[in-house]
Amino acid sequence: MSNWHAGYTAETAYTYGYYTELNPLRTQLLLLSWGIQPPRVSTACELGFGQGVTVNIHAAASCTRWYGTDFNPAQTAFAQELAEVSGNGAVLSEQSFQDFCARTDLPDFDFIALHGIWSWISPENQAHIADFLARKLKPGGVLYISYNTQAGWAAMAPIRDLMEQHSRVLSAPGQDALTRVGSALSFVNRMMETKPRYLLANPTIALRLQQISEQDPNYLSHEYFNHYWQPVSFSAIKPVLAEVKLEFAGSAAYPDHVAPLNFSPEHLAFLAQIPDATFRENTADFLLNRQFRQDYWVKGSRKLTAHEQATALRAVRILLVAPVEQIAMKVTGALGEADLDQAVYGPLLELLGDCKPHTIAELQQRLPANLADLGSLLQMLLVLAHKACISPVQDDAAIAQARPATARLNRHLLGKALGRTDLAALASPVTGGGVGVLHLQQLFLLARLEGHQEADTWAAFAWQAFRALQQTMVRNGTVLTTEEDNLAELAVQAESFRVTVLPILQALGVAD
């Protein structure tokens, strides 16, 4: 029992993030765009669910029965609390991968998720997971897996190893994990001040270290200080997954499927000359200097005919999840920022701006003929999805079934906003997943639930919470110190929320 953590950081709590790639409904648009039949997901599993925010949101917001495990008892307790409060039916265990994957009482799964796990666990645990995938993922089922990639970590990996070694070798006895993280970072930064030849040969390291120093120490502890930490190439992980009958479907990152955002014409021409798909994927990681891969794999993918693909795509329902007036006509990819053509995207956003679900077929029918081509429209939707402006929508029966559990979960999470600021997502029964909601916006929503109907009373409610948390507002870069100024700025923010954000949250089923 002394090595229950199997080399993984266990002294610090993981962050409370929400990860949309783990929403099975999200796979629909991408799989169909690749001509692959998406599975009907009735059972799903998350291995290593951390604090359980993601798994609980997905369990509450859909008709899918979720299972999962995390070895950390404190994290599991929080996750089980959310499951119990929401009544979402999630079965969440505090077990190692070895023990959980060997259980005989688990169902077979349509969807299995591994977010930020593979690169940070032992070879033995990787083997347990591979065996689990072979036995428990249904034919046609989908695996989501993310991992650190060799190409983007080539220069930084030795520095990571040096920091982890410093934590083990030079930290004072009895130091807590976060102190060890700080000491290791301090050591590396002092070393960089001596202008080592390694820095001269790898000048991008200075920026990476600056970025690291600005991140949450708890996150850094989990990301950089595990005993097992191994970036892997796509060509190395493919045979492992192929051995358990999984086929690569495609990247879970939307911008990867809009090539001009990431690759120059020279890049595309170079890739087109590579006949082997695996080698081509590996090469693309070098062209992008990719640090982190997020991929969907399918166990026995069923290819659709062109007619089946087009029919299924046209039936997909889409909802705008961002205020139209706040959507910038720009998009960012690996090549930098690109402008979106207002004449092309404007008519589409105008149709979606009524905050109602629309099928792709409806959009085709109502768009001008020059914008209604299915392939072109799909590219536009992928760009808007990358910008987090749109989301796929569940069928009405699933939405109705999910509403009670999402209401209970959201009410519980909003209550926590009075004492903490690190829970930044709520559950949407409409999208089957989570939606980012800022802490201040959560306080406004909580004020409404507490019976406050006017924006100025939401501001007063939020100010009381701010005072308890010893927080103040900032206006134009200036910290506001007086109660009068804070209330005035909160009133401005509350009115803006009422006009622009609240209608979106109501359309998502997050607010009444």
Side-chain angles (χ1 to χ4, degrees), residues 460-504:
F461 181 91
W463 174 236
Q464 295 304 314
F466 268 43
R467 291 179 64 182
L469 291 167
Q470 297 184 325
Q471 291 187 318
T472 57
M473 293 295 292
V474 177
R475 181 196 296 142
N476 298 326
T478 300
V479 176
L480 304 182
T481 57
T482 69
E483 180 172 347
E484 181 181 9
D485 285 344
N486 274 277
L487 282 171
E489 182 60 25
L490 283 166
V492 170
Q493 296 296 325
E495 180 60 20
S496 175
F497 171 80
R498 184 187 68 81
V499 173
T500 61
V501 178
L502 183 58
I504 297 291

Side-chain angles (χ1 to χ4, degrees), residues 18-22 26 30 34 114-116 120 143-149 232 234 237 248-257 281 285 290-297 386:
Y18 168 75
Y19 306 101
T20 185
E21 294 85 3
L22 280 64
R26 186 183 180 277
L30 287 174
W34 305 328
L114 291 166
H115 179 68
W120 295 267
L143 166 71
Y144 166 75
I145 183 170
S146 59
Y147 54 93
N148 280 343
T149 313
V232 62
F234 178 82
I237 203 168
F248 177 63
S251 171
Y254 288 123
D256 285 352
H257 308 292
E281 198 70 30
D285 286 344
R290 194 194 303 272
Q291 298 178 33
F292 191 63
R293 285 195 67 104
Q294 300 168 279
D295 294 331
Y296 290 130
W297 295 70
H386 165 49

Side-chain angles (χ1 to χ4, degrees), residues 189-210:
N189 284 322
R190 294 199 311 273
M191 181 184 74
M192 291 301 165
E193 290 173 359
T194 70
K195 300 294 188 295
R197 293 190 178 276
Y198 188 85
L199 177 61
L200 299 179
N202 302 277
T204 60
I205 291 298
L207 177 60
R208 291 282 290 274
L209 287 172
Q210 179 183 341

